[in-house]
Amino acid sequence: MIDELDSLGRMQSKCMKCDAKYIAESSHGTGNMLRHIRSCKGKVYRDIGQMILQSNASGAVENRPSTFKFDEFREILALAIARHNLPLQFVEYEGIRAVFSYLCPEFKHVSRRTIKNDIIKIHAKEKTKLDELLKRAPGRIAITSDCWSSITTDGYISLTAHFIEKNWRLGKRVLAFSFIPPPHTGAALGEKMTCLLKQWGIEKRIASITLDNASSNDSMVETLKYDLDLVSNGDYFHVRCCAHILNLIVQEGLKGNR
């Protein structure tokens, strides 16, 4: 990459790998560049004999290492189990182990407990990344929340953050899907919400919260106003879900036609 002139007025070029500069005058030919390539600290070199061909998603042929990396495979396997909601026992299925052994005879099989620990490690790593992303967000954070009951009547509360990233892109991340014991009163929901926000260290940076029209949510909002540092004393803090309002209107209209 062509850079500025040196102190003697000679044209310089800067390496895109290590940022080192060398003389790039036409009178010097390519000798300086060739000498730098041999000593470049940012160069990644792999012998072509250690590479095999593969096709990427677009169908183009590219190179990949022929060596099997056990740690990387375990991480990919843990991500697949989490993404597709597979049972941890998946890694102990006889047929699956046969497939792994066929692909790599030296493969060391793992137990459900091992893959569980791998998933927990990945979660901790991703949580750290998200924490850094939230810290770098320049403005306030809008949150949405809803409650859900399982088939066994266990209660859960979700928390999603909406924010503008440093590069001005709209970011959205699920911060929590947490169990909440009964009773699901406004005070209990407010205490739980405050706890979740403090875990992420964003309780002083909240812009608004979007909720459905349950009466307990109104009580929760009043509780949160005392614990959060809000704009305009919280006058614009509570945003009611438009989709829920439309649903209530439709339901009421259907009642009138019966």
Side-chain angles (χ1 to χ4, degrees), residues 4 13 35 38 43 54-55 74 111 114 139 167 170 178 184-185 210 212 234:
E4 71 276 0
S13 188
R35 282 189 291 272
R38 297 189 187 101
K43 179 182 63 176
Q54 69 171 9
S55 296
R74 272 180 52 179
S111 66
T114 301
N167 56 1
L170 179 61
S178 179
H184 299 162
T185 61
T210 302
D212 61 26

Side-chain angles (χ1 to χ4, degrees), residues 214-233:
S215 58
S216 57
N217 285 336
D218 295 335
S219 302
M220 179 182 70
V221 168
E222 295 302 320
T223 302
L224 288 174
K225 286 182 178 180
Y226 292 101
D227 299 321
L228 306 180
D229 183 14
L230 301 174
V231 178
S232 299
N233 296 321

Side-chain angles (χ1 to χ4, degrees), residues 42 74 87 91 136 234:
R74 272 180 52 179
V91 296
R136 292 196 302 268

Side-chain angles (χ1 to χ4, degrees), residues 18-210:
C18 66
D19 292 335
K21 296 180 180 179
Y22 54 90
I23 299 174
E25 292 283 350
S26 59
S27 59
H28 288 74
T30 58
N32 286 341
M33 181 180 67
L34 291 175
R35 282 189 291 272
H36 174 73
I37 290 176
R38 297 189 187 101
S39 60
C40 179
K41 296 180 180 180
K43 179 182 63 176
V44 177
Y45 174 79
R46 290 182 292 191
D47 188 83
I48 193 64
Q50 299 176 354
M51 309 291 289
I52 61 176
L53 296 178
Q54 69 171 9
S55 296
N56 59 23
S58 62
V61 177
E62 60 183 12
N63 293 330
R64 68 174 176 85
S66 60
T67 55
F68 180 82
K69 297 182 179 180
F70 180 66
D71 292 338
E72 289 186 11
F73 179 81
R74 272 180 52 179
E75 183 175 358
I76 294 172
L77 180 60
L79 286 171
I81 289 175
R83 179 175 298 174
H84 300 291
N85 198 26
L86 298 174
L88 298 177
Q89 193 180 1
F90 175 82
V91 296
E92 298 179 352
Y93 290 166
E94 183 178 350
I96 294 300
R97 288 193 167 186
V99 172
F100 293 161
S101 296
Y102 176 78
L103 294 174
C104 181
E106 295 82 18
F107 179 73
K108 300 176 183 178
H109 296 291
V110 296
S111 66
R112 69 185 81 177
R113 183 171 300 177
T114 301
I115 207 68
K116 172 188 173 183
N117 292 333
D118 288 346
I119 293 175
I120 293 175
K121 290 178 182 178
I122 292 174
H123 175 266
K125 182 172 66 175
E126 293 300 320
K127 186 176 181 180
T128 301
K129 290 182 181 178
L130 178 54
D131 184 61
E132 292 297 323
L133 180 63
L134 292 174
K135 288 180 180 178
R136 292 196 302 268
R140 286 183 172 260
I141 300 170
I143 57 176
T144 56
S145 181
D146 198 6
C147 292
W148 175 80
S149 295
S150 68
I151 194 172
T152 58
T153 68
D154 291 329
Y156 294 86
I157 186 170
S158 66
L159 179 63
T160 305
H162 309 263
F163 53 94
I164 302 298
E165 298 180 12
K166 192 174 181 179
N167 56 1
W168 286 95
R169 292 177 55 187
L170 179 61
K172 182 179 73 172
R173 297 292 189 278
V174 177
L175 301 184
F177 186 81
S178 179
F179 171 75
I180 179 170
H184 299 162
T185 61
L189 292 173
E191 182 179 355
K192 181 68 173 181
M193 183 66 67
T194 302
C195 180
L196 293 174
L197 295 175
K198 287 183 177 180
Q199 286 179 5
W200 289 99
I202 59 174
E203 69 277 6
K204 302 300 182 182
R205 300 176 55 200
I206 300 301
S208 64
I209 182 170
T210 302

